[in-house]
Amino acid sequence: MRFKKIGVIGGGTMGQGIAEMLAHKGLDVYLTEKTEALLDQAVELIEVSLDKQIEKWALTNTEKKLILSRIHKVTDLSVLQEADMVIETITEDLDMKKDVFRTLDRVTNPDAILASNTSSLSLTEIASVVEKPERVIGLHFLHPVARIDLVEIVRGLRTSDETFEKAKYFVDSVIQKKGIMVFESPGFVTTRLICILINEALHTLQEGVASAEDIDAAMRIGYDFRYGPLEMCDRFGLDSVLAAMERMFREYGELKYRPSVLLKKMVRAGRLGVKTGEGFFKYDRDGDRIQ
């Protein structure tokens, strides 16, 4: 199975992380955005990420140059005709994703795999706009992409066995992460479970049971979490967590998925976490916690 050229649609946080990781693995990456300005900004932020690794002696300047040389900035999607796989990473909006996949269906090789990094949307519905829906699959990477060695490989209703096997090979052998097979279900495994934990932490905070700092310390120290649930919420983006909770609440109709009132208030106040510098905690421009 040949994977050399990979398209990445969207230069947001996840798109940057995926593009950097793929380039680090020796793959040619075609990173696309709506405008040149957004594309330049995405590559600049990837460079910042690489510089941080150099500061920590995790990377050399030569390796940084090599990684950046493999990331090609693209605004014309027709360039993706040569891609072996395209991974879509845009915002969690079903109509926008369907528009992207309609375009990809026209411009890509019919044998190329079309993957979405969606964390909760229906792969089956996304694939419905593609002439060969059997080539559509979900590859749900977790943030930060470089450090999390797990990918949910999500099968839609019409995803073929061949597409799944190729995607599994790509995850396990090419980028060397652990791929788990998930059948399409709102929230899949990781989003479904972590959002319920975050939501319960929000209820605990709202009820005054403990402070945000102590709730996170309880899970971080007591259960060996890298981050506590409230800091995780900040890093995912409170608006993203709210959207996922609301989507699962609509799909499942169960009260355990109903988002906390506190979460809604924080989103309305514009305190979205790392992306705005403040959520349940405060962060600097590099996303490091300062309070």
Side-chain angles (χ1 to χ4, degrees):
M1 297 179 189
R2 178 178 171 274
F3 289 101
K4 290 187 177 179
K5 298 179 179 179
I6 311 294
V8 176
I9 310 294
T13 301
M14 290 305 297
Q16 293 163 28
I18 292 170
E20 179 186 325
M21 178 273 298
L22 294 173
H24 198 279
K25 296 292 184 181
L27 299 165
D28 279 315
V29 181
Y30 294 86
L31 180 62
T32 77
E33 254 298 354
K34 293 177 182 176
T35 66
E36 288 280 359
L38 288 172
L39 202 47
D40 289 342
Q41 182 183 47
V43 174
E44 284 171 12
L45 289 171
I46 291 172
E47 192 166 356
V48 169
S49 170
L50 297 173
D51 286 337
K52 283 186 183 179
Q53 294 172 57
I54 291 173
E55 289 173 9
K56 296 175 182 177
W57 299 90
L59 201 71
T60 66
N61 273 300
T62 302
E63 288 171 323
K64 171 191 167 182
K65 290 176 182 176
L66 192 57
I67 289 168
L68 289 174
S69 73
R70 296 189 184 117
I71 299 174
H72 312 282
K73 296 188 284 187
V74 174
T75 52
D76 181 3
L77 293 185
S78 63
V79 174
L80 299 177
Q81 185 177 4
E82 298 179 6
D84 304 303
M85 173 188 283
V86 180
I87 304 171
E88 167 273 313
T89 72
I90 68 168
T91 187
E92 289 288 270
D93 182 293
L94 183 60
D95 290 334
M96 289 174 67
K97 287 184 186 291
K98 287 165 81 171
D99 285 343
V100 167
F101 274 77
R102 283 190 189 94
T103 303
L104 291 177
D105 195 36
R106 292 197 307 270
V107 302
T108 57
N109 184 307
D111 295 324
I113 293 175
L114 302 182
S116 175
N117 184 56
T118 181
S119 60
S120 58
L121 294 175
S122 167
L123 266 300
T124 300
E125 190 163 355
I126 291 171
S128 69
V129 302
V130 175
E131 189 172 336
K132 292 174 63 179
E134 60 270 21
R135 68 177 175 135
V136 176
I137 198 164
L139 290 180
H140 180 218
F141 293 86
L142 304 182
H143 178 71
V145 178
R147 293 207 299 266
I148 306 295
D149 290 325
L150 179 80
V151 181
E152 289 182 297
I153 307 173
V154 188
R155 297 189 66 151
L157 185 63
R158 298 183 65 182
T159 302
S160 68
D161 289 340
E162 181 185 7
T163 296
F164 172 76
E165 291 302 328
K166 286 180 178 179
K168 186 79 164 63
Y169 171 81
F170 173 77
V171 172
D172 292 348
S173 301
V174 179
I175 62 173
Q176 299 173 321
K177 292 182 181 287
K178 171 62 178 176
I180 61 167
M181 185 176 76
V182 179
F183 288 102
E184 182 181 309
S185 177
F188 312 139
V189 173
T190 56
T191 301
R192 181 173 175 176
L193 298 186
I194 204 65
C195 279
I196 289 179
L197 173 64
I198 289 170
N199 206 43
E200 196 59 35
L202 287 163
H203 286 309
T204 306
L205 178 62
Q206 190 174 344
E207 291 164 15
V209 175
S211 68
E213 181 65 50
D214 285 346
I215 289 169
D216 271 20
M219 302 307 294
R220 196 175 62 249
I221 300 169
Y223 290 92
D224 204 22
F225 278 46
R226 180 180 178 85
Y227 302 115
L230 299 175
E231 185 169 347
M232 271 194 265
C233 190
D234 281 349
R235 293 187 178 281
F236 295 151
L238 274 71
D239 52 339
S240 298
V241 174
L242 177 58
M245 291 296 302
E246 289 179 332
R247 194 171 296 115
M248 288 189 289
F249 185 42
R250 284 196 305 271
E251 293 284 342
Y252 290 113
E254 295 183 31
L255 289 176
K256 64 182 177 180
Y257 299 109
R258 185 169 65 185
S260 158
V261 171
L262 177 58
L263 179 61
K264 293 181 179 180
K265 285 181 179 178
M266 295 279 282
V267 171
R268 288 172 189 148
R271 291 173 58 180
L272 307 181
V274 173
K275 67 178 77 175
T276 58
E278 184 177 7
F280 295 101
F281 306 102
K282 292 184 178 179
Y283 305 86
D284 63 20
R285 293 177 63 184
D286 294 330
D288 295 324
R289 188 169 151 188
I290 55 178
Q291 185 178 331

